[in-house]
């Protein structure tokens, strides 16, 4: 039987990498209706790879495991870090111009890394640069048919327990496939404060769950410490690399936020810094990033953050930037193996929607674009070779269900932020579940939020980004230390 079509749902970094690597198999790439840039294109962090003098994959692996509170799948971490230098070389080969210093890649430092090992392109515009190169390559690839902007999928076609296609929400068009790959990104937009775009709302995860796919680690949501504190919803990120370049976090009284909390100070793993920022906002009314140091090269290294500050009337060279913790990255998702296979035949998942365990309980900075490239290409190469398995039996549809909108969606986001934000309590989560019960018959986002909150409630002790503050507002020491 000839290999048939692969449908890839989602055209961020992971989806594009799968699609490119799946040649010569025909790929139908479905991009979601445009609601701003994808999370990949917004990524201000870079790509972590042990390419610097004196650095090595072992050290990158160790930092990944420590940040992940050792919940990571160690062999997959190894696969990720070993593949990192090759991933950089491949991206260069398709036209990504990584920033250089005297002919060598310029390496930045971010939270949780014991060495400078982050490569960037266009300073803090790495995501945009990588997406531009991948998009160019995908548009030139004869095996890829790319439907941009009308690819919202609201159901999976099933036959005899196997996924055999997708249904587009627009006009209910049915598209058959031998293999469906979900590469739909994360869930940040289900929270009242997020660094993610509106489209990162868990739509793919909800589809997979509707088809009966096994979830994994749903409770592990990473909060970024420094989204710009300019309201609610999708907030501009202020990259961690600024702290790597010398910016410092202060509380509302002007005191250094991370002093005495962790040996890595402002560059402690992200979960620890995010909780301190959360706590400072509660206790002192504000947290700010002081990036006024004269040596910070804003124009060259941080053009994206600079533009975001200016758009909000802030001159970061003269005044501190108000910051808040914000939902940033979902370590949990659809359970997969290292080839992206879910528990449902015919359904694969890759990138943030998936959980193969590589990030453990807390992702290390700048490992997410890397994950998209490494595991996306791996899956694509596998699909290029694999012979399809036929499906038989009755046809069914696994439907995501109607969406929540307007005021109800705002209520859901507030509920999830309050109940499953950077600091969680049994009381808060129980109250959150009660509030969600009212919404859950009305929209798929509420059903998904219930699953996340129920998983969080089941985990009674703190681990990585899942922090239980049941003994009251945590002390400075408690938010800074690890319970693992
Ligand atoms: C950042 O630039 O602070 C975010 C990088 C990441 O999410 O890894």
């Amino acid at each position: 039987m000839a290999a048939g079509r692969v449908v890839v749902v989602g055209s961020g970094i992971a989806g594009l990498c799968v699609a490119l690597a799946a040649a010569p198999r025909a790929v139908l790439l479905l991009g979601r209706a445009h609601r701003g840039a994808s999370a990949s294109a917004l990524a201000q962090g870079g790509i972590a790879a042990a390419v610097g003098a004196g650095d090595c994959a072992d050290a990158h692996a160790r930092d990944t495991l420590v940040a992940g509170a050792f919940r990571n799948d160690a062999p997959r971490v190894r696969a990720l870090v070993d593949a990192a230098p090759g991933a950089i070389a491949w991206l260069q080969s398709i036209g990504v111009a990584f920033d250089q210093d005297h002919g060598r890649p310029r390496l930045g430092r971010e939270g949780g890394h014991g060495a400078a090992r982050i490569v960037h392109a266009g300073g803090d515009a790495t995501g945009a640069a990588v997406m531009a190169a991948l998009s160019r390559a995908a548009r030139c690839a004869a095996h890829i048919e790319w439907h941009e902007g009308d690819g919202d999928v609201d159901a999976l076609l099933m036959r005899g327990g196997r996924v055999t296609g997708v249904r587009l929400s627009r006009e209910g068009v049915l598209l058959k496939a031998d293999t469906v790959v979900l590469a739909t990104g994360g869930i940040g937009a289900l929270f009242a404060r997020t660094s993610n775009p509106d489209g990162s709302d868990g739509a793919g995860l909800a589809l997979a769950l509707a088809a009966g796919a096994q979830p994994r680690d749903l409770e592990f949501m990473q909060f970024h410490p420094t989204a710009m504190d300019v309201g609610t919803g999708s907030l501009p990120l202020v990259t961690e690399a600024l702290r790597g370049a010398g910016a410092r976090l202060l509380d509302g009284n002007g005191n250094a936020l991370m002093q005495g909390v962790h040996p890595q100070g402002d560059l402690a793993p992200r979960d620890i810094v995010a909780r301190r920022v959360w706590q400072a906002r509660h206790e002192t009314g504000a947290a700010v990033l002081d990036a006024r140091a004269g040596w910070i090269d804003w124009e060259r290294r941080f053009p994206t953050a600079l533009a975001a500050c200016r758009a909000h009337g802030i001159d970061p060279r003269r005044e501190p930037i108000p910051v808040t913790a914000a939902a940033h990255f979902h370590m949990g998702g659809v359970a997969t193996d290292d080839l992206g296979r879910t528990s449902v035949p015919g359904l694969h998942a890759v990138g943030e929607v998936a959980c193969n365990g590589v990030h453990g309980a807390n992702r290390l900075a700048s490992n997410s674009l890397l994950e998209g490239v490494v595991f996306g290409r791996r899956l694509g190469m596998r699909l290029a070779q694999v012979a399809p398995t036929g499906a038989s039996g009755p046809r069914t549809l696994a439907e995501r269900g109607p969406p929540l909108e307007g005021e109800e969606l705002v209520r859901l986001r507030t509920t999830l932020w309050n109940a499953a934000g950077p600091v969680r309590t049994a009381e808060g989560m129980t109250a959150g579940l009660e509030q969600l019960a009212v919404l859950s018959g009305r929209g798929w986002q509420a059903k998904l939020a219930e699953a996340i909150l129920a998983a969080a409630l089941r985990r009674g002790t703190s681990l990585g980004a899942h922090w239980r503050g049941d003994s009251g507002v945590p002390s400075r020491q408690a938010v800074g230390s690890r319970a693992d």
Side-chain angles (χ1 to χ4, degrees):
M1 182 175 169
R5 170 164 82 172
V6 177
V7 168
V8 178
V9 187
S11 52
I13 193 164
L16 287 171
C17 286
V18 174
L20 285 167
R25 255 181 107 174
V27 173
L28 181 60
L29 180 62
L30 300 176
R32 212 157 166 215
H34 284 303
R35 280 190 259 161
S38 71
S40 304
L42 291 177
Q44 289 182 31
I47 301 182
V51 292
D55 200 3
C56 62
D58 280 348
H60 186 183
R62 192 172 53 246
D63 290 344
T64 301
L65 292 166
V66 170
F70 294 96
R71 190 174 167 80
N72 320 58
D73 181 302
R76 287 175 192 159
V77 170
R78 192 73 231 179
L80 181 78
V81 300
D82 282 346
I88 301 293
W90 177 72
L91 288 169
Q92 283 174 316
S93 78
I94 62 162
V96 180
F98 289 108
D99 300 338
Q100 309 271 316
D101 265 337
H102 310 296
R104 300 182 62 85
R106 183 190 307 141
L107 298 174
R109 178 127 183 228
E110 290 178 7
H113 288 274
R117 67 165 71 93
I118 319 296
V119 298
H120 288 94
D124 61 4
T126 310
V130 169
M131 284 299 292
L134 289 171
S135 303
R136 257 193 323 269
R139 286 206 178 84
C140 296
H143 70 289
I144 298 176
E145 187 186 335
W146 189 352
H147 289 225
E148 264 176 296
D150 60 355
D152 235 341
V153 169
D154 69 355
L156 295 172
L157 311 186
M158 314 274 299
R159 191 164 184 171
R162 185 181 173 84
V163 171
T164 55
V166 300
R167 183 178 73 189
L168 296 183
S169 56
R170 224 186 54 169
E171 292 163 13
V173 175
L174 301 180
L175 301 168
K176 287 198 185 151
D178 273 354
T179 305
V180 172
V181 178
L182 296 176
T184 46
I187 62 166
L190 295 180
F191 291 77
R193 289 164 190 267
T194 181
S195 62
N196 296 178
D198 285 349
S200 297
D201 59 0
L205 176 55
L207 267 180
L209 298 184
Q214 193 66 36
R216 178 170 171 186
D217 288 353
L218 291 186
E219 66 273 35
F220 293 117
M221 183 71 204
Q222 179 174 87
F223 298 90
H224 196 287
T226 57
M228 209 183 289
D229 194 2
V230 289
T232 54
S234 178
L235 302 172
L237 192 75
V238 184
T239 178
E240 193 157 293
L242 268 163
R243 276 176 278 136
R248 290 290 162 262
L249 282 162
L250 309 175
D251 67 16
N253 300 323
N255 298 317
L257 205 68
M258 293 305 296
Q259 199 166 338
V261 173
H262 188 278
Q264 284 173 296
D266 284 88
L267 290 174
R270 200 170 274 175
D271 58 319
I272 295 170
V273 186
R275 284 194 292 275
R276 279 292 291 145
V277 167
W278 180 92
Q279 185 187 27
R281 286 182 80 257
H282 279 256
E283 291 179 354
T284 68
V288 296
L289 185 71
D290 185 349
R292 289 175 289 182
W295 64 79
I296 295 179
D297 185 351
W298 280 94
E299 255 88 15
R300 209 161 57 108
R301 291 195 53 201
F302 305 106
T304 312
L306 180 60
C309 286
R310 283 180 172 153
H312 287 88
I314 298 164
D315 180 349
R317 284 173 294 206
R318 292 179 199 284
E319 57 193 313
I321 308 162
V323 292
T324 174
H328 183 60
F329 186 88
H330 197 200
M331 279 73 68
V334 190
T336 65
D337 65 9
D338 44 2
L339 290 172
R341 288 176 290 214
T342 73
S343 59
V344 177
L347 183 65
H348 293 71
V350 69
E352 194 173 345
V353 66
C355 176
N356 67 14
V358 76
H359 301 303
N362 181 41
R363 173 176 65 77
L364 181 67
S366 287
N367 268 355
S368 63
L369 294 179
L370 178 62
E371 176 202 7
V373 175
V374 170
F375 289 106
R377 296 190 73 220
R378 230 179 210 236
L379 170 56
M381 286 176 203
R382 157 98 186 166
L383 295 177
Q385 295 161 0
V386 92
T389 315
S392 58
R395 287 173 209 268
T396 52
L397 273 175
E399 296 182 296
R400 192 171 50 215
L404 287 182
E405 276 165 358
E407 191 46 44
E408 288 186 326
L409 187 53
V410 172
R411 250 168 61 207
L412 170 126
R413 290 171 171 160
T414 306
T415 301
L416 210 49
W417 174 256
N418 290 337
V423 177
R424 301 164 173 185
T425 64
E427 197 188 346
M429 289 187 278
T430 307
L433 278 169
E434 279 162 17
Q435 288 154 24
L436 288 176
V438 179
L439 296 172
S440 72
R442 305 171 67 82
W444 61 262
Q445 297 97 325
K447 258 171 54 192
L448 180 56
E450 274 186 328
I452 294 163
L453 209 39
L457 189 56
R458 277 195 300 275
R459 185 170 291 283
T461 54
S462 298
L463 187 68
H466 170 74
W467 190 265
R468 294 285 302 244
D470 293 66
S471 50
V473 175
S475 71
R476 180 187 179 87
Q477 202 49 44
V479 292
S481 61
R482 279 272 172 78
D484 31 296

